[in-house]
Amino acid sequence: MKCSFCDIKNDNKRLLYEDDFVIAMLSDPKLMEGHVLVISKRHVEKISELSAEERELLFDKVIEFEEKILKFVSSGCDIRQNYRPFIKQNNLKVDHLHIHLQPRDFEDRLYGECQIFEGNIFQNLSAVEINKMQRKLGRNI
């Protein structure tokens, strides 16, 4: 499947920012008003594939747009990046590194349609689970 973010020049009406390393654009389909994507210009799938310079420039732009979003929404801004190679690329999932900035309000549409159910999903870790993950992830304290 062709990468829609590599061919973004074809849809520049949604662009907010562009330089040699980063593109920022309005998300389409929008999840909420002001939903912004900050995208690595170089086609990579994981943050770890970026050079130190690319990471710095990408996250500087994420911070810049977060501050812009917080000027028009008082509640907050979710920032997330998904790496999901187990899902096939489609109209809603692009195999190209991008970071979502989602303006949020208390009990907004995203909350009402899906996050309201998260309370039943998350549970406290047992001591055994904590120990197991500390071994796997290399506790360094």
Side-chain angles (χ1 to χ4, degrees):
M1 181 176 233
K2 195 166 90 170
C3 178
S4 58
F5 290 163
C6 286
D7 296 328
I8 206 65
K9 289 280 190 207
N10 300 331
D11 190 14
N12 65 5
K13 65 185 176 287
R14 294 185 293 131
L15 284 179
L16 298 169
Y17 176 84
E18 181 177 13
D19 64 24
D20 291 339
F21 297 96
V22 176
I23 295 171
M25 62 185 285
L26 295 170
S27 180
D28 186 24
K30 72 175 184 172
L31 181 58
M32 65 268 307
E33 185 176 66
H35 181 181
V36 173
L37 303 176
V38 179
I39 305 163
S40 164
K41 215 162 192 187
R42 186 165 66 90
H43 185 94
V44 297
E45 291 188 46
K46 299 185 298 185
I47 293 172
S48 63
E49 295 174 321
L50 294 173
S51 69
E53 179 183 25
E54 289 171 318
R55 267 193 317 272
E56 180 179 357
L57 294 168
L58 181 83
F59 282 100
D60 283 351
K61 203 50 61 179
V62 166
I63 292 166
E64 180 183 320
F65 275 94
E66 176 189 29
E67 292 302 316
K68 289 178 180 184
I69 287 168
L70 291 174
K71 288 180 181 175
F72 71 83
V73 66
S74 60
S75 297
C77 178
D78 280 356
I79 299 173
R80 65 184 176 84
Q81 186 271 328
N82 301 310
Y83 174 61
R84 297 175 177 164
F86 49 87
I87 298 174
K88 267 186 90 138
Q89 182 166 289
N90 59 48
N91 289 342
L92 297 176
K93 194 264 187 183
V94 180
D95 294 334
H96 186 128
L97 176 67
H98 59 286
I99 298 177
H100 294 261
L101 287 92
Q102 298 171 322
R104 299 301 305 274
D105 286 310
F106 181 66
E107 295 185 351
D108 58 15
R109 180 177 166 208
L110 179 62
Y111 175 81
E113 291 187 18
C114 63
Q115 290 180 333
I116 193 170
F117 304 105
E118 289 180 356
N120 297 327
I121 296 171
F122 294 100
Q123 300 174 12
N124 292 331
L125 294 171
S126 69
V128 170
E129 291 168 318
I130 290 170
N131 186 275
K132 175 183 172 183
M133 293 316 300
Q134 286 175 331
R135 283 194 318 275
K136 283 186 174 191
L137 298 171
R139 181 177 180 185
N140 288 322
I141 300 177

